[in-house]
Amino acid sequence: MAETIRIKKGLDIPLKGQPSTNVTDDTSTKLFAICPDDFPGHTWKALVKPGDSISAGQPLLSDKVTGQIRLVSPVSGKVEEVHRGERRHIEFISVSKQPDTSAIKISPAKEARQIKENMLASGLWAMMRQRPYDIVPGIDADPRDIFVTAFDSAPLAPGLLTDELKPWLEKGLEALAKLTPGKVYLGVKAGSGITSKAAVCFEFEGPHPAGNVGTQIAAIKPVNKGETVWTLDAATAARIGKLCATGEFDFITKVALTGPGIKNPSMIKTYVGAAIETLIKGRLVADSGLRIISGNVLTGIRVQKDGFLHFPYRQVTVIEEGDHADEFMGWASVDPKKFSVKHSFPAFLRGLSKPFDFDARIKGGRRAMILSGEYDKVFPFDIYPEYLIKAIIAGDIDRMEKLGIYEVAPEDFALPEFIDTSKIELQKIVRDGLDNLRKELS
């Protein structure tokens, strides 16, 4: 029987717009894209040019150093654009879907070498992350252990495993077990009923971030200096299982359209990297004044209507910008409908479990960090988060190492950033700190 771990520190944000379980097929989206910035740790080069005809599973980009880590097309069709930004940095490669549904197929794999080759060729390797540094693992990386999370506890997040992928999860865990001399750990939600013979299962209960893989690593077996672990979600593990068993690429995903800015929040079945505009067409509560987020409100990426779904391709959240909000006393209003984790506002009297209508306002001014201990209330690591942030800002590598920089990723600081009185961009600080640390130590 799986051991149950109770996460006590955290916060479930009661955002309006929980999606229904109704799933509709997306038949209107014709444009899909891969955004290389979603896969950190490597520099990517384009392997295609506009006008090229490609099949689903054909590589669009590869890493510049080895050329073996690839990002592939989710659909068959024609390359529309290789969009470049400043200094010719590739921002995305878009593909227009054609009626031809042909896809590349590769040989099934049973041995570790074949499994690794298939994952590299299919783009699934790039969907894993390595700790330390929170990057796509290098091809020579040797993980101490592999951690898989089977649920997402972020605001309005849908389930990770669809009915189509569930049968392949065990196959994926078996394949991953051959890539590490250690163990594969599977973190599941308490009461989910998910079990495995190929992995060591732990049940987690408690508020967000119980579903974050970093929280699960800290509770099971933390990362020490000199150690490397790989992380991924259960959907990616199931895709690995299907690939190794059948040789078929699976790019279908179910995306939750969530948030108070969506009419009748629901699920839509599409392909990874789908264009946002067609997904939300006719579903917005207003024509302007809304913020569209690819992902959840804590860690997602702000996109425009002409943008695309970013990795990991399973949620779109729409909230109001709040630019034209007019309320007495502004952000200091004591309106009981205004959410706050502090009892200085009366929201707690109506209960924080009831849905709130959030908007994108910061509601406060940026100021110097205050060592108040407020991060600790929602940060379930055996780490002093405020001191770690200060060490990162100062660039003190020795102190960063002593304070646990190797254990964390930017998403682990999403909740501290949300409740932060000083309104500091903690996730960006951690991301920059990890990148600078890797450069200094490489």
Side-chain angles (χ1 to χ4, degrees):
M1 186 174 178
E3 179 183 343
T4 299
I5 297 176
R6 169 70 179 173
I7 302 300
K8 296 181 180 179
K9 293 182 178 181
L11 176 67
D12 287 327
I13 299 175
L15 178 64
K16 285 184 179 179
Q18 183 70 38
S20 69
T21 56
N22 297 330
V23 181
T24 58
D25 284 338
D26 172 27
T27 57
S28 58
T29 304
K30 303 299 181 186
L31 198 62
F32 300 81
I34 293 296
C35 306
D37 285 346
D38 296 341
F39 307 94
H42 300 273
T43 302
W44 303 96
K45 64 178 180 180
L47 302 178
V48 295
K49 60 183 183 296
D52 286 354
S53 295
I54 57 173
S55 299
Q58 184 173 331
L60 298 177
L61 303 108
S62 68
D63 71 295
K64 281 190 174 181
V65 176
T66 68
Q68 296 185 50
I69 305 176
R70 297 169 184 174
L71 305 178
V72 305
S73 174
V75 295
S76 298
K78 184 177 70 173
V79 177
E80 285 293 319
E81 182 181 8
V82 179
H83 188 85
R84 297 180 183 270
E86 295 181 1
R87 302 177 67 180
R88 292 186 57 77
H89 173 73
I90 300 174
E91 295 185 347
F92 65 82
I93 295 181
S94 59
V95 178
S96 60
K97 186 176 183 294
Q98 303 295 331
D100 178 20
T101 58
S102 63
I104 291 177
K105 195 171 181 180
I106 57 181
S107 301
K110 293 184 179 180
E111 302 299 325
R113 179 183 61 81
Q114 295 174 318
I115 293 169
K116 183 175 180 179
E117 289 175 354
N118 283 10
M119 290 174 60
L120 289 167
S122 66
L124 291 174
W125 184 277
M127 293 185 182
M128 297 193 299
R129 292 292 178 269
Q130 168 193 305
R131 295 201 185 197
Y133 310 129
D134 188 42
I135 59 173
V136 174
I139 61 173
D140 296 325
D142 186 21
R144 183 202 71 190
D145 300 295
I146 298 176
F147 291 83
V148 182
T149 179
F151 71 106
D152 189 346
S153 57
L156 305 181
L160 287 177
L161 281 173
T162 63
D163 292 337
E164 293 85 356
L165 286 176
K166 280 182 181 178
W168 301 107
L169 177 60
E170 186 67 9
K171 291 286 186 183
L173 296 174
E174 291 173 359
L176 290 169
K178 297 177 181 179
L179 301 181
T180 174
K183 296 179 180 179
V184 177
Y185 293 96
L186 177 66
V188 304
K189 189 174 184 177
S192 67
I194 298 175
T195 60
S196 173
K197 295 180 180 178
V200 181
C201 284
F202 285 86
E203 291 189 343
F204 286 83
E205 60 180 18
H208 183 65
N212 281 8
V213 71
T215 302
Q216 297 173 12
I217 294 172
I220 298 171
K221 193 176 180 182
V223 182
N224 298 311
K225 183 178 180 180
E227 296 178 339
T228 298
V229 301
W230 291 351
T231 68
L232 64 157
D233 59 41
T236 302
R239 288 189 173 98
I240 292 171
K242 185 174 182 179
L243 177 75
C244 292
T246 66
E248 296 178 1
F249 294 45
D250 190 332
F251 302 107
I252 296 174
T253 187
K254 289 181 181 177
V255 179
L257 303 179
T258 68
I262 292 285
K263 299 176 185 175
N264 302 318
S266 59
M267 306 284 291
I268 188 167
K269 185 177 180 180
T270 185
Y271 291 89
V272 299
I276 294 289
E277 187 171 11
T278 49
L279 291 181
I280 63 175
K281 187 176 181 180
R283 297 174 181 266
L284 300 181
V285 298
D287 295 329
S288 61
L290 297 176
R291 175 172 297 192
I292 304 168
I293 302 167
S294 178
N296 64 71
V297 290
L298 291 176
T299 62
I301 299 171
R302 182 182 181 182
V303 296
Q304 302 301 319
K305 287 185 179 180
D306 60 353
F308 299 90
L309 277 172
H310 286 260
F311 179 80
Y313 316 117
R314 59 174 177 262
Q315 184 179 3
V316 175
T317 309
V318 183
I319 60 176
E320 292 186 8
E321 285 285 2
D323 293 340
H324 305 294
D326 185 14
E327 57 187 353
F328 178 65
M329 295 180 65
W331 65 266
S333 167
V334 292
D335 185 348
K337 294 182 180 180
K338 181 177 299 226
F339 177 85
S340 176
V341 296
K342 298 177 174 62
H343 286 190
S344 53
F345 289 80
F348 72 94
L349 294 174
R350 69 184 284 261
L352 299 184
S353 61
K354 297 179 181 179
F356 285 73
D357 195 357
F358 287 82
D359 57 38
R361 288 177 293 165
I362 294 177
K363 298 184 179 179
R366 291 185 174 89
R367 57 183 67 85
M369 182 186 293
I370 302 170
L371 293 178
S372 62
E374 61 184 354
Y375 297 171
D376 292 316
K377 298 176 182 178
V378 295
F379 191 75
F381 286 65
D382 190 17
I383 287 175
Y384 295 109
E386 292 165 328
Y387 291 99
L388 175 57
I389 292 295
K390 281 182 170 288
I392 294 173
I393 293 173
D396 188 337
I397 292 178
D398 288 341
R399 191 160 177 78
M400 287 159 59
E401 291 179 337
K402 292 177 181 178
L403 289 169
I405 185 69
Y406 295 115
E407 293 187 47
V408 301
E411 69 172 6
D412 299 322
F413 283 80
L415 272 178
E417 182 177 293
F418 173 73
I419 69 165
D420 185 18
T421 303
S422 301
K423 312 302 179 186
I424 298 172
E425 294 181 329
L426 301 180
Q427 293 182 80
K428 183 178 186 302
I429 290 172
V430 174
R431 177 75 270 168
D432 292 342
L434 290 170
D435 291 343
N436 291 335
L437 180 66
R438 185 163 62 93
K439 289 178 183 179
E440 289 292 330
L441 298 182
S442 61

